[in-house]
Amino acid sequence: MTQGTNFLGGRILVVAFEGWNDAGEAASGAVKTLQDVLDVVPIAEVDPELYFDFQFNRPTVTDDDGQRRLVWPSAITYGPVHPGDPSHALADDANLRVSGDNVGNIYLLLGTEPSRSWKSFTAEILDAALASDIGGIVFLGAMLADVPHTRPISIFASSENSAVRTELGIERSTYEGPVGILSAIAEGAEAVGIPTVTIWASVPHYVHNAPSPKAMLALIDKLEELVDVTIPRGGLVDEAAAWEAGIDALAADDEEMAAYIQQLEQARDTVDSPEASGEAIAQEFERYLRRRGDGRDGRDGQAGGRPDEPWRS
């Protein structure tokens, strides 16, 4: 990408993978929300036999109108029914309409992180992106971190592309350590001339077993800020409020958990105070990133989470 090129001026692929990059199902949940409200259809799909260990990512059986069938782990790219046309949306009801000049330029990639052959998988994904004339890729990810559920979800956007960083006013990540499939595809995309942005959400690690609609909302908010679309939230706002209230109720019955959350709140408020510099905030986020690369996980190796409860240790 050359200086002065408009990242938002072409077709944008929004990507999320279930698995290690998807704490609280926040990233995949955000893309599924887009899938529900955008008028998109499948345009490419990888062969599951090539990339997945079915003993690790097992197929599931569904019953749809009396027809039972297996659903295999995969990765599917979706494209707009009316490419480039902002006038079409999923519903005529304005409350359900996705708006903005980029509506007809939004493509989606949703899948399960592959078990093997990441280089071949990356090449296949990028071939599909190039065939669809994708001009930029936005990756969504979520990690488990030492953050309180009672505060706004921490979001960090970065890019390896200097022109994109200048255009969007975002930073370059300095993280070093283990990575997921997002990083492999991002490096490959930049190598073939497709600029990329990555958006990470921090999910409270002490609730790692439950989906986090609050983190989904935070990712959608940031995506909406960076990309020229207005995305309806549906029931996510109410679900996020219920999620937070549920954790409040659990903490009310556990003094140690409540005290631990209070410590996290104090730490977060210090970082968010006017006295805290932008550099300090970035360093705090990098600390979260390094922790997620410690090899410990909360469920099926997802997002570097932790199965332990720190307030009990």
Side-chain angles (χ1 to χ4, degrees):
M1 177 176 175
T2 59
Q3 290 289 341
T5 300
N6 182 7
F7 179 76
L8 303 179
R11 298 180 175 182
I12 298 172
L13 179 65
V14 182
V15 177
F17 283 91
E18 298 172 348
W20 198 71
N21 311 278
D22 193 30
E25 301 175 19
S28 61
V31 172
K32 287 175 183 176
T33 297
L34 286 173
Q35 183 185 355
D36 288 341
V37 298
L38 289 171
D39 198 5
V40 294
V41 293
I43 58 175
E45 181 175 4
V46 302
D47 182 352
E49 292 282 349
L50 300 177
Y51 304 114
F52 296 98
D53 179 347
F54 297 137
Q55 289 185 319
F56 182 72
N57 296 117
R58 292 184 179 271
T60 58
V61 63
T62 64
D63 192 336
D64 187 9
D65 295 329
Q67 297 293 321
R68 293 173 62 82
R69 67 185 186 92
L70 291 180
V71 178
W72 299 87
S74 188
I76 303 174
T77 301
Y78 299 87
V81 173
H82 305 282
D85 187 350
S87 64
H88 289 83
L90 182 65
D92 291 333
D93 184 344
N95 292 326
L96 297 178
R97 184 177 294 277
V98 180
S99 61
D101 291 341
N102 259 342
V103 170
N105 290 324
I106 302 299
Y107 289 67
L108 306 175
L109 171 59
L110 181 63
T112 303
E113 185 174 63
S115 307
R116 62 175 75 92
S117 303
W118 279 23
K119 292 182 179 180
S120 298
F121 182 88
T122 294
E124 185 169 345
I125 293 299
L126 293 178
D127 282 346
L130 291 169
S132 297
D133 196 25
I134 297 298
I137 301 178
V138 178
F139 297 97
L140 303 184
M143 72 190 75
L144 296 176
D146 297 335
V147 294
H149 70 282
T150 54
R151 299 295 187 264
I153 296 293
S154 297
I155 293 291
F156 181 73
S158 66
S159 176
E160 292 300 305
N161 190 294
S162 60
V164 171
R165 293 197 300 271
T166 299
E167 178 185 348
L168 300 182
I170 57 179
E171 303 177 32
R172 180 177 182 269
S173 174
T174 58
Y175 168 72
E176 296 181 357
V179 298
I181 191 61
L182 299 184
S183 295
I185 299 176
E187 181 178 76
E190 291 285 351
V192 299
I194 303 177
T196 64
V197 169
T198 303
I199 305 173
W200 284 98
S202 294
V203 177
H205 67 85
Y206 52 87
V207 287
H208 61 80
N209 285 327
S212 177
K214 187 172 181 178
M216 295 176 201
L217 272 176
L219 285 170
I220 290 174
D221 287 345
K222 190 63 177 180
L223 179 65
E224 187 178 81
E225 176 187 329
L226 294 179
V227 181
D228 183 19
V229 292
T230 300
I231 305 164
R233 305 310 196 260
L236 270 180
V237 174
D238 291 339
E239 292 172 18
W243 175 83
E244 188 167 334
I247 302 170
D248 287 342
L250 289 175
D253 293 331
D254 189 324
E255 292 183 0
E256 290 181 279
M257 180 180 180
Y260 177 71
I261 292 172
Q262 185 177 23
Q263 291 176 8
L264 295 179
E265 290 172 337
Q266 292 172 347
R268 174 63 183 273
D269 292 344
T270 298
V271 171
D272 288 345
S273 68
E275 293 78 16
S277 67
E279 181 179 356
I281 295 173
Q283 289 175 349
E284 183 74 7
F285 194 87
E286 293 297 340
R287 183 174 68 87
Y288 299 152
L289 285 174
R290 287 192 294 272
R291 282 196 177 183
R292 74 181 282 274
D294 64 5
R296 295 179 290 176
D297 53 39
R299 181 174 62 85
D300 294 338
Q302 292 189 9
R306 282 171 280 181
D308 54 302
E309 296 176 325
W311 62 86
R312 299 195 188 283
S313 58

